[in-house]
Amino acid sequence: MDTPTEDVLAGVGPRLRALRRARDTTLAALAIETGLTASTLSRLENGRLRPTLEQLLPLARAHGVPLDDLVAAPPTGDPRVHLRPVRRSGLVLVPLTRRAGGIQAYKVIYPPADRAPAVTLQSHEGYEWFYVLNGHVRFVLGDHEHRFGPGEAAEFDTRVPHWIGSADSSPAELLALFGPQGERAHVTPAGH
């Protein structure tokens, strides 16, 4: 095998170990998650086993990273991500995550209050966190109504009836994280 391929394969083991340790996961737990044996995982991490695509795919899924990250694929050129805004129910949603499953990130632009649809509380499975980038937000959660401004954030269980919209005559821009099965965003302060 040529040297560049050998170099790529030699780097997979340390990357796998670093990803597993960053998740604070044991080989046994990762084995259950991926369907690979703990022995195979150990040999992959130590470089004693050359990885195959059948092994790397479940590992990439388990660690929530693109396959390219595991093999340190060379840069492909243009680093820009081409975001495609979606218009839905008067909102503009810009998906910021590209992988399926897990927590999804969006930039959401709510129209001015006078152009917004009527307040209709909704509930569904999941958990949501939002951060106000610009404008002011009217947030109804259950029987309570709140007003948020730039730099303020909220998190809530989406099974509780809720509604979000602009609070005034300007659009409101939010960064929103949504976990469809109730995953929560965990933010740890520096030094913890």
Side-chain angles (χ1 to χ4, degrees):
M1 199 173 277
D2 59 348
T3 304
T5 302
E6 288 292 337
D7 292 344
V8 167
L9 292 176
V12 171
R15 280 189 287 284
L16 288 172
R17 183 180 301 109
L19 285 166
R20 180 178 59 79
R21 287 182 176 166
R23 290 179 56 211
D24 196 27
T25 301
T26 65
L27 287 170
L30 187 58
I32 292 168
E33 194 174 356
T34 61
L36 302 170
T37 67
S39 171
T40 297
L41 294 169
S42 176
R43 291 187 336 218
L44 286 168
E45 287 186 3
N46 292 320
R48 291 179 300 181
L49 179 64
R50 178 174 297 222
T52 66
L53 185 59
E54 289 79 13
Q55 294 163 332
L56 292 176
L57 287 173
L59 286 164
R61 268 193 301 275
H63 292 308
V65 298
L67 188 59
D68 287 356
D69 287 1
L70 293 183
V71 296
T76 56
D78 188 350
R80 287 178 286 205
V81 175
H82 300 282
L83 305 173
R84 298 195 193 320
V86 177
R87 294 188 184 281
R88 186 180 308 148
S89 303
L91 309 177
V92 176
L93 298 163
V94 182
L96 302 175
T97 46
R98 295 188 292 174
R99 68 180 176 89
I103 294 178
Q104 299 294 305
Y106 300 90
K107 179 179 180 183
V108 185
I109 303 169
Y110 291 90
D114 61 346
R115 286 191 250 150
V119 175
T120 304
L121 298 182
Q122 62 175 331
S123 62
H124 48 88
E125 286 295 318
Y127 207 84
E128 188 167 339
W129 175 93
F130 69 78
Y131 176 85
V132 181
L133 297 168
N134 289 303
H136 291 89
V137 172
R138 179 178 169 207
F139 176 46
V140 180
L141 183 64
D143 295 331
H144 303 282
E145 186 168 322
H146 308 275
R147 183 181 167 104
F148 290 87
E152 292 187 294
E155 67 175 325
F156 61 99
D157 184 332
T158 58
R159 292 176 295 186
V160 176
H162 60 280
W163 180 87
I164 304 169
S166 175
D168 53 35
S169 61
S170 299
E173 297 181 28
L174 281 69
L175 174 62
L177 300 178
F178 175 71
Q181 276 75 45
E183 296 97 338
R184 295 178 67 168
H186 296 284
V187 181
T188 305
H192 284 64

